[in-house]
Amino acid sequence: MRTFPPERIVCLTEETVETLYLLGQEDRIVGVSGYAVRPARVRCEKPRVSAFTSADIPKIMALEPDLVLTFSDLQADIAAALLRQGVTVFGYNQRDVAGILAMIRSLGALVGVADRAEALAAGYEARLAGIAARAKGRARPVVYFEEWDEPMISGIRWVSQLVEIAGGRDAFPELSAQKAAKDRILTSRQVIDARPDIILASWCGKKVRPEKIAARPGWDTIPAVRNGRIHEIKSPLILQPGPAALTDGLEAICDALG
């Protein structure tokens, strides 16, 4: 890092982009992931330099970044390539609500606005606590969250926690602790046996087809299918471990739970 706070930041996932905008530090961003859509104006304000598991290294280098922000082991090869080019890389790996809040606080400190980041994170904590308090004492519907359809993959930890905060009960809480998607693969029989009251689906950028879910063999016995309670949650709202999940993503879950 040539300067502190860094003046030229490239964000290779959406949640750090949104966080920097919320902290009023968007002028520091010089490049973003192709999946960055929050806030909407980022799509016309910042050059796109990466997908999720691939990046245009020459394009990133041409931006002369002081810092590149990455996420998870899935971007490890990108991080290594940039490190070999002499770029400072900071990798996040948040997989639960506490990790999201820690990322916000850490990123705020990294760009010199720790007080703003603390206020932002504390505001989210208060909101989450308020929603959880309103759900307390109510009947908790069983919720199956589907992150992908072929193969079927259940929700990751932060999604499971947000379902619980909203007043639901994750159908597969034991799987949510598994960080890798391959470790959260389900069989159709497991879902049928879990008898979820509500099905939430977010197919990681692919449009959800509720009718295809309902038509799966044997699924007509599932309460969620019988009662027409299959809901799509758009992936930018819930599958990015950042502010979107804590706000609009959680709101979408609350709406689905009714």
Side-chain angles (χ1 to χ4, degrees):
M1 193 184 302
R2 296 192 298 270
T3 62
F4 183 83
E7 296 175 353
R8 300 182 64 79
I9 301 174
V10 170
C11 302
L12 299 188
T13 53
E14 183 177 60
E15 64 277 356
T16 50
V17 174
E18 183 175 14
T19 300
L20 287 171
Y21 268 85
L22 288 167
L23 295 174
Q25 302 302 302
E26 64 269 25
D27 288 349
R28 299 182 187 277
I29 302 173
V30 295
V32 299
S33 160
Y35 293 104
V37 296
R38 292 172 64 93
R41 60 191 176 98
V42 72
R43 304 183 75 170
C44 59
E45 288 182 348
K46 307 295 181 181
R48 294 169 179 263
V49 299
S50 71
F52 185 61
T53 58
S54 63
D56 188 331
I57 301 298
K59 191 171 184 179
I60 292 173
M61 295 305 299
L63 295 171
E64 300 183 340
D66 297 314
L67 176 66
V68 176
L69 299 173
T70 68
F71 174 73
S72 89
D73 59 302
L74 294 176
Q75 294 191 329
D77 290 344
I78 301 171
L82 291 167
L83 287 166
R84 284 192 288 267
Q85 294 284 337
V87 177
T88 299
V89 178
F90 195 106
Y92 286 103
N93 218 353
Q94 69 275 15
R95 306 294 180 128
D96 55 18
V97 170
I100 294 172
L101 294 167
M103 178 276 292
I104 292 169
R105 290 180 165 106
S106 168
L107 184 52
L110 198 57
V111 298
V113 290
D115 289 348
R116 290 189 204 176
E118 177 57 37
L120 182 63
Y124 289 145
E125 286 174 328
R127 183 173 183 273
L128 295 174
I131 291 172
R134 289 196 296 273
K136 193 173 182 180
R138 298 178 184 172
R140 289 185 170 270
V142 176
V143 179
Y144 165 53
F145 185 95
E146 186 170 282
E147 187 177 301
W148 192 247
D149 61 329
E150 295 177 343
M152 289 181 290
I153 297 173
S154 64
I156 199 166
R157 184 63 175 155
W158 73 80
V159 175
S160 176
Q161 290 176 323
L162 291 176
V163 166
E164 297 284 336
I165 288 169
R169 183 158 55 89
D170 184 5
F172 301 101
E174 71 285 355
L175 292 181
S176 72
Q178 301 298 321
K179 295 179 181 179
K182 66 179 178 61
D183 295 326
R184 289 181 274 113
I185 293 174
L186 294 160
T187 66
S188 186
R189 173 49 58 186
Q190 284 176 281
V191 182
I192 293 169
D193 289 347
R195 296 181 57 79
D197 301 296
I198 298 168
I199 295 173
L200 304 178
S202 185
W203 290 348
C204 201
K206 182 172 72 171
K207 182 174 176 55
V208 170
R209 300 284 300 278
E211 70 279 8
K212 289 186 67 176
I213 294 174
R216 291 171 182 168
W219 283 45
D220 56 332
T221 65
I222 296 175
V225 175
R226 288 204 314 265
N227 298 321
R229 302 196 71 180
I230 304 172
H231 306 274
E232 178 181 18
I233 299 181
K234 300 295 185 183
S235 53
L237 302 185
I238 195 64
L239 296 184
Q240 302 283 355
L246 304 184
T247 55
D248 293 347
L250 177 55
E251 194 66 37
I253 294 172
C254 290
D255 289 345
L257 268 58

